[in-house]
Amino acid sequence: MEKRTIYLDHAATTAVDPRVVEAMLPYFTDYYGNPSSVHHKGREAQQALEDARSTVADILGCKPREVIFVSCGTESDNLAIRGVAFAAHYRRHVERPHIIISPIEHHAVSRTCEQLEKVFGYEVTYLPVDEYGLVDPADLERAIQPHTVLVSITYANNEVGTIEPIAELAAVAQAHDVPFHTDAVQAGGSLDLNVDRLGVDLLSLSAHKFYGPKGVGVLYQRRGTSMLPMQTGGAHERNRRAGTENVPGIVGLARALELTQEGQAEENARLIRLRDKLIAGVLERIPYSRLTGHPIQRLPNNASFVFEFVEGEGILLLLDSEGICGSSGSACASAEIEPSHVLTAMGVPVEVAHGSLRLTLGRENTDADVDRVLEVLPPIIQRLRDMSPLYPA
Ligand code: PLP
Protein backbone atom coordinates (compact mmCIF):
# COMPACT_ATOMS: atom_id res chain seq x y z
CA MET A 1 0.00 0.00 0.00
CA GLU A 2 1.28 3.46 -0.92
CA LYS A 3 2.22 5.38 2.22
CA ARG A 4 0.63 8.79 2.75
CA THR A 5 3.22 11.53 2.31
CA ILE A 6 3.83 13.67 5.37
CA TYR A 7 5.84 16.61 4.12
CA LEU A 8 7.86 18.19 6.92
CA ASP A 9 10.49 19.98 4.88
CA HIS A 10 8.88 23.39 4.34
CA ALA A 11 12.19 25.14 5.09
CA ALA A 12 13.57 23.50 1.93
CA THR A 13 10.62 24.45 -0.23
CA THR A 14 6.83 24.59 -0.30
CA ALA A 15 4.14 23.55 -2.76
CA VAL A 16 2.82 26.44 -4.81
CA ASP A 17 -0.56 27.59 -3.49
CA PRO A 18 -3.29 26.95 -6.13
CA ARG A 19 -4.36 30.61 -5.79
CA VAL A 20 -0.80 31.59 -6.75
CA VAL A 21 -0.86 29.24 -9.76
CA GLU A 22 -4.17 30.77 -10.80
CA ALA A 23 -2.73 34.28 -10.61
CA MET A 24 0.32 33.26 -12.65
CA LEU A 25 -1.30 31.28 -15.46
CA PRO A 26 -2.51 34.18 -17.68
CA TYR A 27 1.04 35.56 -17.71
CA PHE A 28 2.32 32.50 -19.56
CA THR A 29 -0.20 32.49 -22.36
CA ASP A 30 -2.28 35.69 -22.54
CA TYR A 31 -0.11 38.48 -21.12
CA TYR A 32 3.17 37.15 -22.44
CA GLY A 33 4.64 40.47 -23.59
CA ASN A 34 8.12 41.65 -22.72
CA PRO A 35 7.73 44.44 -20.14
CA SER A 36 10.34 46.48 -22.05
CA SER A 37 8.29 46.49 -25.27
CA VAL A 38 6.41 49.68 -26.09
CA HIS A 39 3.36 48.00 -27.64
CA HIS A 40 0.25 47.07 -25.66
CA LYS A 41 1.42 43.50 -24.95
CA GLY A 42 4.55 44.94 -23.39
CA ARG A 43 2.57 47.50 -21.43
CA GLU A 44 0.28 44.79 -20.01
CA ALA A 45 3.30 42.90 -18.72
CA GLN A 46 4.88 46.12 -17.42
CA GLN A 47 1.67 46.89 -15.54
CA ALA A 48 1.66 43.42 -13.94
CA LEU A 49 5.26 43.95 -12.88
CA GLU A 50 4.54 47.30 -11.30
CA ASP A 51 1.39 45.99 -9.57
CA ALA A 52 3.47 43.16 -8.11
CA ARG A 53 6.15 45.64 -7.03
CA SER A 54 3.54 47.77 -5.23
CA THR A 55 2.12 44.72 -3.46
CA VAL A 56 5.57 43.71 -2.20
CA ALA A 57 6.41 47.31 -1.26
CA ASP A 58 3.19 47.60 0.80
CA ILE A 59 4.12 44.50 2.79
CA LEU A 60 7.73 45.62 3.31
CA GLY A 61 6.57 49.17 4.12
CA CYS A 62 8.85 50.68 1.49
CA LYS A 63 8.66 52.50 -1.83
CA PRO A 64 8.04 50.35 -4.95
CA ARG A 65 11.31 51.61 -6.48
CA GLU A 66 13.20 50.06 -3.55
CA VAL A 67 12.03 46.57 -4.59
CA ILE A 68 14.29 44.69 -7.03
CA PHE A 69 13.05 41.43 -8.53
CA VAL A 70 15.76 38.77 -8.84
CA SER A 71 15.92 35.06 -9.69
CA CYS A 72 16.12 33.56 -6.18
CA GLY A 73 17.20 34.04 -2.59
CA THR A 74 20.77 33.15 -3.47
CA GLU A 75 20.96 35.85 -6.10
CA SER A 76 19.41 38.36 -3.72
CA ASP A 77 22.08 37.63 -1.09
CA ASN A 78 24.85 37.75 -3.69
CA LEU A 79 23.66 41.04 -5.15
CA ALA A 80 23.32 42.68 -1.73
CA ILE A 81 26.71 41.59 -0.45
CA ARG A 82 28.90 41.74 -3.51
CA GLY A 83 27.04 44.77 -4.87
CA VAL A 84 27.56 46.81 -1.70
CA ALA A 85 31.14 45.60 -1.18
CA PHE A 86 32.12 46.43 -4.77
CA ALA A 87 30.40 49.82 -4.58
CA ALA A 88 32.39 50.64 -1.43
CA HIS A 89 35.61 49.62 -3.14
CA TYR A 90 35.10 51.10 -6.59
CA ARG A 91 32.88 54.11 -5.83
CA ARG A 92 34.04 55.15 -2.35
CA HIS A 93 37.57 53.79 -2.73
CA VAL A 94 37.57 51.85 0.54
CA GLU A 95 40.81 49.96 0.03
CA ARG A 96 40.03 46.73 1.85
CA PRO A 97 36.29 46.66 2.59
CA HIS A 98 35.34 44.94 5.83
CA ILE A 99 32.15 42.85 6.11
CA ILE A 100 30.64 41.42 9.28
CA ILE A 101 28.51 38.27 9.25
CA SER A 102 27.59 35.50 11.66
CA PRO A 103 29.06 31.99 11.46
CA ILE A 104 25.58 30.49 10.93
CA GLU A 105 24.66 32.24 7.70
CA HIS A 106 23.26 30.31 4.75
CA HIS A 107 25.95 29.43 2.21
CA ALA A 108 24.47 32.03 -0.16
CA VAL A 109 25.87 34.59 2.30
CA SER A 110 28.89 32.82 3.77
CA ARG A 111 30.36 31.56 0.50
CA THR A 112 29.88 34.96 -1.12
CA CYS A 113 31.86 36.51 1.73
CA GLU A 114 34.43 33.72 1.56
CA GLN A 115 35.03 34.53 -2.10
CA LEU A 116 35.34 38.25 -1.35
CA GLU A 117 37.89 37.38 1.31
CA LYS A 118 39.94 34.79 -0.57
CA VAL A 119 39.78 36.07 -4.14
CA PHE A 120 39.28 39.82 -3.72
CA GLY A 121 41.24 40.32 -0.49
CA TYR A 122 38.34 41.87 1.47
CA GLU A 123 38.17 41.38 5.23
CA VAL A 124 35.41 39.34 6.87
CA THR A 125 34.64 39.12 10.58
CA TYR A 126 32.50 36.26 11.89
CA LEU A 127 30.67 37.25 15.06
CA PRO A 128 30.25 34.58 17.72
CA VAL A 129 26.85 33.02 18.45
CA ASP A 130 25.64 31.55 21.72
CA GLU A 131 24.42 27.98 22.23
CA TYR A 132 21.05 28.92 20.67
CA GLY A 133 22.60 30.58 17.63
CA LEU A 134 21.90 34.13 18.82
CA VAL A 135 24.17 37.02 17.84
CA ASP A 136 24.81 39.57 20.62
CA PRO A 137 24.46 43.23 19.50
CA ALA A 138 27.33 44.10 21.88
CA ASP A 139 29.64 41.85 19.83
CA LEU A 140 28.58 43.66 16.68
CA GLU A 141 29.28 47.01 18.32
CA ARG A 142 32.82 45.85 19.11
CA ALA A 143 33.44 44.43 15.63
CA ILE A 144 32.58 47.54 13.60
CA GLN A 145 35.63 49.34 12.24
CA PRO A 146 36.12 52.50 10.18
CA HIS A 147 36.41 50.41 6.99
CA THR A 148 33.32 48.25 7.70
CA VAL A 149 31.07 48.53 4.67
CA LEU A 150 28.33 45.99 5.41
CA VAL A 151 26.81 43.87 8.15
CA SER A 152 24.80 40.82 7.04
CA ILE A 153 22.94 38.72 9.60
CA THR A 154 20.21 36.21 8.79
CA TYR A 155 16.74 37.05 10.14
CA ALA A 156 15.86 33.44 10.98
CA ASN A 157 18.25 30.52 10.67
CA ASN A 158 17.32 27.92 8.08
CA GLU A 159 18.55 24.93 10.07
CA VAL A 160 17.60 25.59 13.68
CA GLY A 161 14.99 28.32 13.23
CA THR A 162 16.49 30.80 15.70
CA ILE A 163 15.20 34.34 15.13
CA GLU A 164 17.93 36.95 15.49
CA PRO A 165 17.35 40.33 17.21
CA ILE A 166 17.48 42.08 13.83
CA ALA A 167 16.11 45.46 14.94
CA GLU A 168 18.73 45.73 17.71
CA LEU A 169 21.55 44.58 15.45
CA ALA A 170 20.50 46.92 12.64
CA ALA A 171 20.35 49.83 15.11
CA VAL A 172 23.99 49.21 16.03
CA ALA A 173 25.03 49.25 12.37
CA GLN A 174 22.96 52.34 11.70
CA ALA A 175 24.59 54.22 14.58
CA HIS A 176 27.89 53.71 12.74
CA ASP A 177 26.40 54.53 9.33
CA VAL A 178 27.07 50.99 8.10
CA PRO A 179 24.47 49.39 5.77
CA PHE A 180 22.70 46.35 7.23
CA HIS A 181 21.52 43.39 5.15
CA THR A 182 19.33 40.58 6.40
CA ASP A 183 18.65 37.29 4.67
CA ALA A 184 14.93 37.01 5.40
CA VAL A 185 14.42 33.98 3.15
CA GLN A 186 13.18 31.77 6.02
CA ALA A 187 11.26 34.61 7.67
CA GLY A 188 9.20 35.51 4.61
CA GLY A 189 6.11 33.48 5.42
CA SER A 190 5.70 34.17 9.10
CA LEU A 191 7.61 37.17 10.50
CA ASP A 192 7.28 40.96 10.34
CA LEU A 193 8.93 42.17 7.14
CA ASN A 194 8.50 45.91 7.70
CA VAL A 195 11.90 47.31 6.79
CA ASP A 196 11.53 50.42 8.92
CA ARG A 197 10.55 48.51 12.04
CA LEU A 198 13.49 46.20 11.37
CA GLY A 199 15.74 49.14 10.47
CA VAL A 200 17.42 47.24 7.64
CA ASP A 201 18.87 48.68 4.43
CA LEU A 202 18.78 45.47 2.40
CA LEU A 203 16.53 42.43 2.77
CA SER A 204 16.36 39.19 0.76
CA LEU A 205 13.31 37.03 0.06
CA SER A 206 12.62 33.93 -2.03
CA ALA A 207 9.10 33.03 -3.22
CA HIS A 208 9.40 29.24 -3.03
CA LYS A 209 9.73 29.38 0.76
CA PHE A 210 6.23 30.85 1.16
CA TYR A 211 4.09 28.85 -1.29
CA GLY A 212 5.24 30.79 -4.33
CA PRO A 213 7.13 29.54 -7.38
CA LYS A 214 10.81 28.60 -7.48
CA GLY A 215 13.23 30.83 -9.35
CA VAL A 216 12.07 34.25 -8.20
CA GLY A 217 13.11 36.45 -5.30
CA VAL A 218 13.33 40.00 -4.04
CA LEU A 219 16.07 42.29 -2.89
CA TYR A 220 14.87 45.32 -0.98
CA GLN A 221 17.41 48.13 -1.31
CA ARG A 222 16.84 51.22 0.83
CA ARG A 223 17.13 54.38 -1.22
CA GLY A 224 20.64 55.81 -0.90
CA THR A 225 22.33 52.44 -0.23
CA SER A 226 25.14 52.32 -2.75
CA MET A 227 25.29 49.05 -4.70
CA LEU A 228 26.83 48.01 -8.03
CA PRO A 229 24.79 45.70 -10.27
CA MET A 230 26.23 42.21 -10.50
CA GLN A 231 24.42 41.33 -13.70
CA THR A 232 24.84 43.89 -16.47
CA GLY A 233 22.91 44.29 -19.68
CA GLY A 234 19.64 46.14 -20.26
CA ALA A 235 18.26 48.85 -18.01
CA HIS A 236 15.87 46.50 -16.19
CA GLU A 237 15.06 47.07 -12.52
CA ARG A 238 16.43 50.64 -12.75
CA ASN A 239 19.83 49.41 -13.85
CA ARG A 240 20.25 47.27 -10.77
CA ARG A 241 19.55 43.83 -12.26
CA ALA A 242 19.66 43.29 -16.00
CA GLY A 243 17.61 40.58 -17.70
CA THR A 244 14.06 40.24 -19.01
CA GLU A 245 11.82 39.95 -15.99
CA ASN A 246 10.20 36.63 -15.05
CA VAL A 247 6.70 38.12 -15.20
CA PRO A 248 4.67 35.01 -14.23
CA GLY A 249 7.11 34.30 -11.40
CA ILE A 250 6.99 37.86 -10.12
CA VAL A 251 3.17 37.90 -10.24
CA GLY A 252 3.26 34.61 -8.30
CA LEU A 253 5.72 35.94 -5.74
CA ALA A 254 3.55 38.99 -5.03
CA ARG A 255 0.38 36.90 -4.73
CA ALA A 256 2.11 34.38 -2.45
CA LEU A 257 3.47 37.14 -0.23
CA GLU A 258 0.03 38.72 -0.07
CA LEU A 259 -1.45 35.39 1.01
CA THR A 260 1.08 35.06 3.86
CA GLN A 261 -0.47 38.16 5.37
CA GLU A 262 -3.98 36.66 5.52
CA GLY A 263 -4.59 35.23 8.98
CA GLN A 264 -0.86 35.14 9.68
CA ALA A 265 -1.20 35.44 13.46
CA GLU A 266 -3.69 32.53 13.60
CA GLU A 267 -1.58 30.34 11.31
CA ASN A 268 1.55 31.10 13.35
CA ALA A 269 -0.29 30.18 16.57
CA ARG A 270 -1.47 26.91 14.99
CA LEU A 271 2.05 26.06 13.81
CA ILE A 272 3.58 26.93 17.18
CA ARG A 273 1.15 24.58 18.91
CA LEU A 274 1.99 21.73 16.50
CA ARG A 275 5.71 22.53 16.69
CA ASP A 276 5.75 22.49 20.48
CA LYS A 277 3.77 19.26 20.59
CA LEU A 278 6.31 17.70 18.21
CA ILE A 279 9.29 19.00 20.20
CA ALA A 280 7.91 17.89 23.57
CA GLY A 281 6.91 14.49 22.18
CA VAL A 282 10.31 13.81 20.65
CA LEU A 283 12.32 14.90 23.69
CA GLU A 284 10.07 12.89 25.99
CA ARG A 285 10.17 9.69 23.93
CA ILE A 286 13.77 9.63 22.72
CA PRO A 287 16.72 9.48 25.15
CA TYR A 288 19.97 11.29 24.28
CA SER A 289 18.03 13.81 22.22
CA ARG A 290 18.21 17.56 22.35
CA LEU A 291 16.44 20.51 20.75
CA THR A 292 18.68 22.73 18.65
CA GLY A 293 18.09 26.46 18.30
CA HIS A 294 16.31 28.81 20.68
CA PRO A 295 13.42 27.25 22.65
CA ILE A 296 11.09 30.25 22.15
CA GLN A 297 12.70 32.73 19.80
CA ARG A 298 12.36 30.38 16.85
CA LEU A 299 10.36 30.10 13.63
CA PRO A 300 6.79 28.91 14.28
CA ASN A 301 7.28 25.88 12.02
CA ASN A 302 10.78 24.71 12.96
CA ALA A 303 11.47 21.67 15.16
CA SER A 304 15.12 20.65 14.96
CA PHE A 305 17.02 18.15 17.00
CA VAL A 306 20.23 16.27 17.47
CA PHE A 307 20.26 12.61 18.48
CA GLU A 308 23.41 11.05 19.83
CA PHE A 309 24.77 7.80 18.37
CA VAL A 310 22.99 8.12 15.00
CA GLU A 311 23.60 9.68 11.59
CA GLY A 312 21.08 12.19 10.24
CA GLU A 313 21.19 10.59 6.79
CA GLY A 314 20.07 7.26 8.23
CA ILE A 315 17.14 8.88 10.02
CA LEU A 316 16.06 10.62 6.80
CA LEU A 317 16.11 7.42 4.77
CA LEU A 318 14.09 5.47 7.32
CA LEU A 319 11.61 8.34 7.76
CA ASP A 320 11.26 8.51 3.99
CA SER A 321 10.45 4.81 3.87
CA GLU A 322 7.51 5.70 6.14
CA GLY A 323 6.44 8.50 3.75
CA ILE A 324 7.83 11.26 5.95
CA CYS A 325 10.01 13.98 4.37
CA GLY A 326 12.44 15.74 6.70
CA SER A 327 15.97 17.05 6.39
CA SER A 328 19.28 16.96 8.19
CA GLY A 329 21.89 19.63 8.77
CA SER A 330 24.52 17.33 7.35
CA ALA A 331 25.42 17.99 3.75
CA CYS A 332 27.13 15.43 1.59
CA ALA A 333 30.35 17.04 0.43
CA SER A 334 32.15 14.65 -1.91
CA ALA A 335 32.38 11.29 -0.15
CA GLU A 336 32.48 12.80 3.34
CA ILE A 337 29.45 13.84 5.31
CA GLU A 338 30.22 17.26 6.75
CA PRO A 339 28.57 18.19 10.03
CA SER A 340 26.46 21.34 9.92
CA HIS A 341 28.50 24.54 10.29
CA VAL A 342 25.51 26.00 12.13
CA LEU A 343 25.50 23.33 14.83
CA THR A 344 29.26 23.33 15.31
CA ALA A 345 29.27 27.15 15.62
CA MET A 346 26.64 26.76 18.36
CA GLY A 347 29.00 24.47 20.24
CA VAL A 348 27.38 21.13 19.38
CA PRO A 349 30.18 18.52 19.34
CA VAL A 350 30.97 17.26 15.82
CA GLU A 351 29.96 13.65 16.56
CA VAL A 352 26.59 14.81 17.94
CA ALA A 353 26.05 17.28 15.06
CA HIS A 354 26.07 14.31 12.67
CA GLY A 355 22.77 13.13 14.17
CA SER A 356 20.69 16.17 13.27
CA LEU A 357 17.10 16.23 12.09
CA ARG A 358 15.04 19.23 10.97
CA LEU A 359 11.28 18.92 10.68
CA THR A 360 9.57 22.02 9.34
CA LEU A 361 5.79 22.24 9.39
CA GLY A 362 3.51 23.94 6.90
CA ARG A 363 -0.05 24.90 6.07
CA GLU A 364 -1.24 21.39 5.26
CA ASN A 365 0.17 19.68 8.37
CA THR A 366 -2.15 18.57 11.14
CA ASP A 367 -2.08 16.91 14.57
CA ALA A 368 -2.33 13.54 12.81
CA ASP A 369 1.01 14.22 11.06
CA VAL A 370 2.70 15.06 14.35
CA ASP A 371 1.19 11.95 15.97
CA ARG A 372 2.52 9.80 13.13
CA VAL A 373 6.05 11.19 13.53
CA LEU A 374 5.90 10.57 17.26
CA GLU A 375 4.86 6.99 16.54
CA VAL A 376 7.56 6.15 13.96
CA LEU A 377 10.57 8.25 14.94
CA PRO A 378 11.46 6.62 18.31
CA PRO A 379 11.74 3.06 16.85
CA ILE A 380 13.73 4.43 13.89
CA ILE A 381 16.26 6.04 16.21
CA GLN A 382 16.41 2.88 18.33
CA ARG A 383 16.98 0.72 15.25
CA LEU A 384 19.88 2.91 14.15
CA ARG A 385 21.36 3.00 17.64
CA ASP A 386 21.19 -0.76 17.90
CA MET A 387 23.57 -0.85 14.93
CA SER A 388 25.99 1.66 16.46
CA PRO A 389 29.04 0.28 18.31
CA LEU A 390 29.15 3.54 20.33
CA TYR A 391 25.62 3.29 21.76
CA PRO A 392 25.80 2.40 25.48
CA ALA A 393 22.49 0.40 25.20
N1 PLP B 1 18.95 31.93 2.47
C1 PLP B 1 18.34 31.07 3.29
C2 PLP B 1 18.29 31.36 4.76
C3 PLP B 1 17.75 29.91 2.79
O1 PLP B 1 17.16 29.04 3.60
C4 PLP B 1 17.82 29.67 1.38
C5 PLP B 1 17.28 28.41 0.81
O2 PLP B 1 17.34 27.35 1.39
C6 PLP B 1 18.46 30.61 0.57
C7 PLP B 1 19.01 31.73 1.15
C8 PLP B 1 18.55 30.43 -0.90
O3 PLP B 1 17.31 30.67 -1.53
P1 PLP B 1 17.04 30.12 -3.00
O4 PLP B 1 16.76 28.66 -2.86
O5 PLP B 1 15.83 30.88 -3.48
O6 PLP B 1 18.24 30.41 -3.82
Side-chain angles (χ1 to χ4, degrees), residues 11 72-74 77 106 108 154 156 158 183 185-186 206 208-209:
C72 59
T74 301
D77 286 337
H106 188 273
T154 189
N158 52 301
D183 174 336
V185 168
Q186 290 293 336
S206 178
H208 75 101
K209 306 291 187 179

Side-chain angles (χ1 to χ4, degrees), residues 160-235:
V160 298
T162 296
I163 301 169
E164 299 293 342
I166 291 301
E168 280 125 284
L169 292 164
V172 171
Q174 194 190 27
H176 292 269
D177 228 0
V178 174
F180 189 97
H181 167 247
T182 192
D183 174 336
V185 168
Q186 290 293 336
S190 56
L191 304 185
D192 182 17
L193 297 178
N194 184 289
V195 291
D196 286 341
R197 277 197 292 274
L198 292 170
V200 299
D201 303 296
L202 300 134
L203 177 143
S204 298
L205 290 174
S206 178
H208 75 101
K209 306 291 187 179
F210 48 83
Y211 308 92
K214 292 171 185 61
V216 59
V218 159
L219 176 62
Y220 157 75
Q221 178 196 16
R222 188 178 290 278
R223 199 160 175 211
T225 308
S226 185
M227 188 179 85
L228 281 187
M230 290 298 102
Q231 192 161 299
T232 46

Side-chain angles (χ1 to χ4, degrees), residues 335-371:
E336 297 290 310
I337 295 179
E338 294 282 334
S340 145
H341 68 286
V342 172
L343 296 179
T344 49
M346 287 161 50
V348 177
V350 171
E351 64 282 7
V352 178
H354 276 299
S356 66
L357 175 68
R358 177 188 72 180
L359 299 173
T360 43
L361 298 147
R363 282 184 196 157
E364 74 282 9
N365 293 125
T366 60
D367 275 286
D369 297 338
V370 171
D371 293 341

Side-chain angles (χ1 to χ4, degrees), residues 82-306:
R82 212 173 286 127
V84 167
F86 282 4
H89 188 66
Y90 295 105
R91 284 191 184 145
R92 290 199 283 125
H93 308 291
V94 179
E95 204 168 303
R96 194 168 176 237
H98 175 232
I99 300 168
I100 301 173
I101 65 171
S102 84
I104 62 166
E105 296 300 310
H106 188 273
H107 284 143
V109 169
S110 62
R111 294 208 170 131
T112 304
C113 291
E114 211 174 283
Q115 190 204 44
L116 287 173
E117 194 175 17
K118 293 193 175 138
V119 180
F120 294 92
Y122 292 9
E123 198 181 329
V124 181
T125 294
Y126 298 82
L127 297 175
V129 288
D130 70 9
E131 62 183 303
Y132 303 121
L134 284 173
V135 176
D136 184 344
D139 287 323
L140 175 58
E141 178 74 51
R142 279 190 286 275
I144 292 179
Q145 298 178 45
H147 64 302
T148 306
V149 300
L150 182 69
V151 178
S152 180
I153 308 284
T154 189
Y155 192 166
N157 183 266
N158 52 301
E159 286 185 32
V160 298
T162 296
I163 301 169
E164 299 293 342
I166 291 301
E168 280 125 284
L169 292 164
V172 171
Q174 194 190 27
H176 292 269
D177 228 0
V178 174
F180 189 97
H181 167 247
T182 192
D183 174 336
V185 168
Q186 290 293 336
S190 56
L191 304 185
D192 182 17
L193 297 178
N194 184 289
V195 291
D196 286 341
R197 277 197 292 274
L198 292 170
V200 299
D201 303 296
L202 300 134
L203 177 143
S204 298
L205 290 174
S206 178
H208 75 101
K209 306 291 187 179
F210 48 83
Y211 308 92
K214 292 171 185 61
V216 59
V218 159
L219 176 62
Y220 157 75
Q221 178 196 16
R222 188 178 290 278
R223 199 160 175 211
T225 308
S226 185
M227 188 179 85
L228 281 187
M230 290 298 102
Q231 192 161 299
T232 46
H236 312 91
E237 301 297 288
R238 292 176 182 266
N239 289 308
R240 293 167 299 182
R241 198 273 182 183
T244 301
E245 301 86 347
N246 169 8
V247 180
I250 291 166
V251 166
L253 178 145
R255 182 72 183 120
L257 195 61
E258 198 173 50
L259 290 170
T260 64
Q261 306 296 298
E262 282 179 14
Q264 190 177 82
E266 293 77 16
E267 178 59 3
N268 282 351
R270 190 187 76 87
L271 289 170
I272 287 171
R273 189 186 63 74
L274 288 178
R275 175 197 74 186
D276 290 348
K277 173 176 166 176
L278 180 57
I279 292 172
V282 166
L283 298 181
E284 196 181 286
R285 287 168 176 75
I286 305 177
Y288 304 107
S289 63
R290 176 174 138 187
L291 179 72
T292 52
H294 198 279
I296 300 156
Q297 215 167 301
R298 66 187 298 131
L299 285 171
N301 72 336
N302 178 300
S304 49
F305 310 92
V306 279

